[in-house]
Amino acid sequence: MYKIISRKEYAMLIRDRRFHILATIVTILLIVSMWAGFSAYKIIRNETDFISKESRSHWIKQGSKNPHEAAHYGSFVFRPKSELSFLDFGVTSYIGNSIYLEGHNHNEPKFSQAQESSGLIRFGDFTVAFIFYTLLPLFIIFMCFNSFTIEKEEKTLKLMLSQGIGLDVIAWGKIEGFSKCLAWVFLPCLLISFGLVIIGTPGGVSFNTFMRLFLNTIVFGGYFFVFICLSVLVSIWSKSSRNALLILLGVWVMMCIIIPKLSANLGGFIFKAPKNFEFTESIRKEVLEGIDGHHSADVRLNKLKQTILAEYNVDSLSQLPINFDAIVMQEAEKHSSQVYKKYFDSLEKIYQKQNYISDIFSLIDPFITVRNFSMSLAGTDYKTALEFQRQAEQYRYNMVEKLQNHMRDYSKTGDWEIKVNENFFAKIPEFKFKKFSINDTITQNWLSIISLFVWIQLCIRFISNLKNFKMNDL
Amino acid sequence: MLKTKHLTKKYGERFALVGLSLDIEPGEIFALLGQNGAGKSTTINCFLGFVKPTSGQVYVNGLSVVDHALETKKYLAYIPENVMLYSNLTGVENLEFFSALAGFNYTKKELGKMLFKVGLQISANDQWVSTYSKGMRQKVGIAIAIAKNAKALLLDEPTSGLDPKASNEFSNILNELAKNDTAILMATHDIFRAKEIAGRIGIMKEGSLVSEIKSSDITTNELEKVYLQTV
């Protein structure tokens, strides 16, 4: 029975000029943002590929030199753009794209797009995802706010009800009709983005990427469903179209602007993250308190010396078959890495707590749910950025360790003449960022999934309960 | 077919209906006369289940409307005073939609026939209702009611806005329906029309039925006199 209503709603909306104009505007915005996002993605991807290769060849062709010097020479690694990043830039625009990896130092990611480009990016990322989670709800509201109020005002609802049909059936019909109209905007965009993903992934689209796009569709579909139901419900409960529109616009401002902003600020307010300077400064201080390879007067250096001498059963460093300087430097590296890891972990915990606040708000605001989930699926969220930093640090540590160990094993203490060549540098594998699997992403977002599910369930409940709803002012 | 027993409806302190008892048999046309606010529309809304009685019972085809809100609507067709339709659907599409809701799937040809029967010019069938006059919309409303094949028809000032010819055609349609055993309740201001088509005429005042007259027992002039005295 609801099919009849759905067909009618669809036929009416498709003929409605209001729908034509809004759909055209949204479609143009989507196409522009997709085009802009994709070209930016391609440029950055090509640049990153090119510079990564160049950086790698610089590393290999740095010439024969002392291993420790090579560790100082270091190399650059770049956070690869994920295939879906053009749909949702997430936080990546504000986080550095590359890290300089060298011995002794734990460098922060540098060169974010926000640093590099003009004011446009500060204006906010005008991505497909942004249009989906911010503007499409508005589009839905404008389509649906008077879905029932106009029928009350025009008395067609009374005629419809007099034909012996329940209010819930009418509501379901309307929801389906609106969804079909929305599909005219949503589905072409989805198809185009799927095409772009195929074009933008030279090696062929992986199952992981495909699943992400698929989940994205479901998540946004659910989000739109919630907004359609909400608009229809408000329209049923409202006395006039004007009231319905005012209430829905109020809901939109709360959900899409105020609560997200509030939750982010509240998270940062309750769980304060150290400022960048404080963070690096406290790491520097704690590292200094440990062994420092360049200052042999240190007490702990002596202790290490005694241990090593005892191990090899010799009296002086010159009798050692290995290079003691390299051992000291590696010990220092180990120590500073531990300190760094400790601080990094604590920082991550703070961010996690901040995100918990946001997650809690996502239970009352599906906007936050979908925004976070979309970022996560696009691989442009904060977790992915932190994971990149962690993997880069791990890679740095392994690289430096290999160099120091070579120096330790193939030279004697005080010998700074030992050299390694191209063959050795090439043996250190290239950095490859291992992305989160789809399972990881789902596990990280369990609360979002539950929250969206609860919202959808609530909507279904409310609409189905309209069966018993008494219309008083017909 | 259409029956009320001591039907009372109170809005706050004001009585819209006071102990109204009606009984309209299949094939009978009953006209309710009365001023605005006399309770004619409230009576119709009680039959439709849109107004919940404060006390008393409403029955359609022997079923209580309060207990069987959806089922009783199957036996009813309703034409409001001012039929409002979906303005960017055509006349045929509107008729198709509403009869589909009632569970009837007519072909385009059958729908066209029905619109022809109620006197809508054929050229208007496929035009958007936004181009229709009030009378034309009213005709589509009548077609919607006919298409439902209902056992009882509820009319709220159905001929207001119809030209005399259309109004006359409408009377003929009602007579035809009554011959096929449809019970018809018509609220109206039109004393002449009431006398002409109704078998019985009830005059309402402040929510009660103050007099009930067989139309064959009275002339139009006498009816007018009674009406003016009562209200």
Side-chain angles (χ1 to χ4, degrees):
Chain A
M1 193 56 86
Y2 73 96
K3 286 270 174 206
I4 300 162
I5 317 247
S6 151
R7 264 202 302 277
K8 180 218 99 190
E9 289 299 330
Y10 178 75
M12 280 177 63
L13 210 55
I14 281 295
R15 293 173 192 181
D16 194 343
R17 274 174 61 91
R18 196 176 46 152
F19 173 72
H20 296 165
I21 294 168
L22 285 173
T24 312
I25 293 173
V26 172
T27 308
I28 290 172
L29 286 176
L30 279 172
I31 288 171
V32 168
S33 64
M34 209 162 352
W35 172 76
F38 188 67
S39 29
Y41 160 75
K42 254 180 41 190
I43 291 169
I44 294 171
R45 195 187 165 109
N46 287 344
E47 273 178 5
T48 316
D49 280 358
F50 178 75
I51 301 172
S52 296
K53 278 201 192 90
E54 210 177 49
S55 163
R56 176 71 182 166
S57 87
H58 277 288
W59 165 256
I60 294 175
K61 296 206 171 81
Q62 57 180 304
S64 290
K65 60 173 73 157
N66 176 273
H68 188 68
E69 269 173 57
H72 272 284
Y73 184 80
S75 73
F76 278 94
V77 288
F78 297 87
R79 183 156 41 82
K81 283 254 154 196
S82 81
E83 289 83 2
L84 297 179
S85 62
F86 73 96
L87 294 173
D88 191 343
F89 296 169
V91 297
T92 52
S93 305
Y94 305 97
I95 293 175
N97 282 321
S98 62
I99 304 181
Y100 174 47
L101 307 177
E102 56 175 342
H104 305 302
N105 292 323
H106 309 268
N107 296 315
E108 292 289 306
K110 292 262 166 61
F111 308 115
S112 70
Q113 262 154 278
Q115 272 173 351
E116 298 298 294
S117 48
S118 59
L120 198 65
I121 198 147
R122 299 240 173 250
F123 194 66
D125 292 323
F126 209 68
T127 56
V128 174
F130 171 81
I131 294 175
F132 273 0
Y133 53 64
T134 312
L135 292 187
L136 270 190
L138 209 53
F139 174 70
I140 290 172
I141 287 172
F142 281 129
M143 281 200 320
C144 304
F145 75 95
N146 63 357
S147 54
F148 271 93
T149 49
I150 196 168
E151 300 231 30
K152 278 192 254 183
E153 283 153 5
E154 303 265 279
K155 304 282 180 207
T156 41
L157 184 60
K158 193 173 175 183
L159 200 55
M160 222 189 312
L161 290 171
S162 80
Q163 297 296 74
I165 192 158
L167 201 58
D168 56 326
V169 179
I170 300 178
W172 280 126
K174 280 177 182 286
I175 289 166
E176 196 192 84
F178 290 138
S179 307
K180 270 201 257 173
C181 287
L182 192 66
W184 278 110
V185 177
F186 184 47
L187 289 182
C189 175
L190 206 78
L191 282 177
I192 297 173
S193 49
F194 191 60
L196 288 179
V197 169
I198 293 175
I199 296 170
T201 321
V205 181
S206 65
F207 176 72
N208 190 18
T209 307
F210 177 77
M211 279 307 287
R212 279 166 189 274
L213 201 61
F214 177 69
L215 266 181
N216 227 336
T217 311
I218 292 180
V219 167
F220 275 115
Y223 180 62
F224 298 152
F225 174 79
V226 168
F227 260 95
I228 291 177
C229 288
L230 221 56
S231 305
V232 165
L233 281 169
V234 169
S235 196
I236 289 174
W237 294 328
S238 297
K239 285 233 183 311
S240 68
S241 298
R242 198 176 141 270
N243 279 356
L245 186 60
L246 282 177
I247 292 170
L248 285 168
L249 286 180
V251 168
W252 180 80
V253 169
M254 281 306 283
M255 277 191 171
C256 299
I257 296 173
I258 294 179
I259 296 180
K261 191 87 189 136
L262 195 78
S263 70
N265 286 349
L266 197 67
F269 180 73
I270 298 177
F271 303 108
K272 280 203 175 60
K275 295 198 177 63
N276 208 354
F277 174 74
E278 289 169 14
F279 182 68
T280 40
E281 193 57 16
S282 28
I283 292 177
R284 201 181 63 84
K285 259 196 199 139
E286 197 162 326
V287 168
L288 271 181
E289 283 163 18
I291 301 170
D292 187 342
H294 293 305
H295 296 87
S296 55
D298 195 272
V299 188
R300 271 170 287 189
L301 182 65
N302 251 321
K303 211 172 169 191
L304 180 67
K305 190 172 154 188
Q306 298 314 325
T307 325
I308 298 291
L309 288 178
E311 200 179 305
Y312 283 88
N313 211 7
V314 289
D315 303 327
S316 68
L317 291 177
S318 53
Q319 289 173 323
L320 275 176
I322 53 168
N323 194 329
F324 183 66
D325 294 337
I327 294 175
V328 172
M329 286 187 293
Q330 187 50 32
E331 278 302 309
E333 197 65 56
K334 206 192 262 170
H335 177 72
S336 73
S337 290
Q338 272 163 5
V339 173
Y340 181 77
K341 190 173 177 311
K342 189 180 106 188
Y343 275 88
F344 190 78
D345 285 350
S346 78
L347 185 68
E348 202 188 339
K349 281 223 176 69
I350 293 172
Y351 285 135
Q352 233 159 35
K353 280 182 192 155
Q354 290 184 353
N355 283 343
Y356 274 138
I357 300 281
S358 168
D359 281 346
I360 288 165
F361 274 97
S362 80
L363 288 173
I364 59 162
D365 187 352
F367 173 91
I368 298 176
T369 307
V370 171
R371 188 195 55 190
N372 292 352
F373 206 0
S374 163
M375 257 196 263
S376 195
L377 285 171
T380 54
D381 57 333
Y382 208 84
K383 278 207 178 75
T384 308
L386 281 180
E387 180 63 20
F388 167 72
Q389 230 172 309
R390 191 200 311 284
Q391 286 182 23
E393 168 60 21
Q394 188 61 46
Y395 175 80
R396 187 195 73 83
Y397 183 78
N398 292 344
M399 171 187 92
V400 172
E401 189 183 39
K402 250 189 201 125
L403 290 165
Q404 314 271 40
N405 286 353
H406 186 83
M407 187 168 163
R408 179 193 67 195
D409 295 342
Y410 295 98
S411 68
K412 289 194 148 199
T413 312
D415 174 11
W416 288 87
E417 296 305 312
I418 172 174
K419 295 220 157 72
V420 282
N421 61 14
E422 220 169 276
N423 289 335
F424 185 82
F425 295 134
K427 256 188 257 159
I428 292 177
E430 203 172 345
F431 175 73
K432 279 260 178 317
F433 177 51
K434 210 170 137 275
K435 279 179 249 174
F436 286 129
S437 73
I438 185 73
N439 287 341
D440 293 334
T441 303
I442 290 173
T443 325
Q444 286 159 5
N445 287 284
W446 66 272
L447 199 63
S448 294
I449 294 169
I450 288 177
S451 144
L452 197 61
F453 184 75
V454 167
W455 271 92
I456 291 172
Q457 275 300 317
L458 275 178
C459 285
I460 293 174
R461 273 291 156 76
F462 268 106
I463 301 278
S464 298
N465 277 346
L466 288 174
K467 237 191 330 254
N468 311 316
F469 188 76
K470 285 277 170 280
M471 278 279 168
N472 291 321
D473 46 355
L474 281 167
Chain B
M1 180 56 57
L2 294 171
K3 196 170 173 186
T4 63
K5 262 194 203 160
H6 313 297
L7 186 62
T8 299
K9 176 69 194 176
K10 235 173 123 177
Y11 288 109
E13 285 304 299
R14 197 181 65 82
F15 281 94
L17 290 176
V18 190
L20 180 74
S21 293
L22 283 178
D23 194 353
I24 303 162
E25 298 293 323
E28 192 182 10
I29 303 180
F30 191 98
L32 272 182
L33 286 173
Q35 284 184 303
N36 292 330
K40 305 189 299 288
S41 296
T42 311
T43 310
I44 286 178
N45 280 333
C46 282
F47 278 116
L48 286 168
F50 296 149
V51 167
K52 200 176 173 231
T54 312
S55 66
Q57 278 87 40
V58 199
Y59 299 101
V60 172
N61 199 23
L63 286 171
S64 161
V65 173
V66 178
D67 301 332
H68 304 90
L70 281 185
E71 203 186 337
T72 48
K73 288 197 185 76
K74 288 201 184 93
Y75 306 116
L76 294 173
Y78 163 67
I79 305 175
E81 177 179 3
N82 193 356
V83 176
M84 297 298 287
L85 303 163
Y86 299 107
S87 53
N88 60 0
L89 297 182
T90 67
V92 172
E93 282 170 341
N94 268 290
L95 177 57
E96 185 184 20
F97 170 67
F98 282 108
S99 46
L101 284 188
F104 295 95
N105 291 310
Y106 293 113
T107 61
K108 287 267 180 241
K109 208 173 150 194
E110 287 170 317
L111 295 167
K113 238 186 223 165
M114 277 179 238
L115 288 174
F116 179 74
K117 194 175 166 192
V118 296
L120 190 77
Q121 53 271 48
I122 295 168
S123 62
N125 284 4
D126 292 322
Q127 280 170 9
W128 285 15
V129 165
S130 53
T131 64
Y132 281 26
S133 68
K134 187 186 174 213
M136 289 161 81
R137 288 204 309 271
Q138 212 64 16
K139 285 172 182 170
V140 178
I142 296 164
I144 289 170
I146 294 175
K148 206 176 170 184
N149 278 333
K151 292 190 170 180
L153 193 54
L154 300 167
L155 311 169
D156 198 349
E157 307 280 355
T159 51
S160 76
L162 288 187
D163 58 65
K165 182 172 172 281
S167 195
N168 184 50
E169 281 166 359
F170 179 58
S171 301
N172 292 337
I173 290 169
L174 289 189
N175 278 322
E176 203 181 305
L177 289 171
K179 254 182 227 152
N180 293 326
D181 274 351
T182 311
I184 299 172
L185 172 64
M186 175 168 78
T188 182
H189 293 299
D190 189 341
I191 295 169
F192 171 75
R193 192 63 59 194
K195 155 74 183 126
E196 194 196 72
I197 47 177
R200 274 191 298 156
I201 298 162
I203 302 177
M204 284 187 83
K205 190 187 178 187
E206 288 163 3
S208 334
L209 197 62
V210 283
S211 57
E212 204 184 309
I213 310 149
K214 262 189 142 170
S215 69
S216 52
D217 296 349
I218 200 168
T219 66
T220 311
N221 280 340
E222 285 165 345
L223 177 62
E224 189 174 13
K225 233 176 247 164
V226 175
Y227 176 78
L228 290 174
Q229 276 164 7
T230 357
V231 299

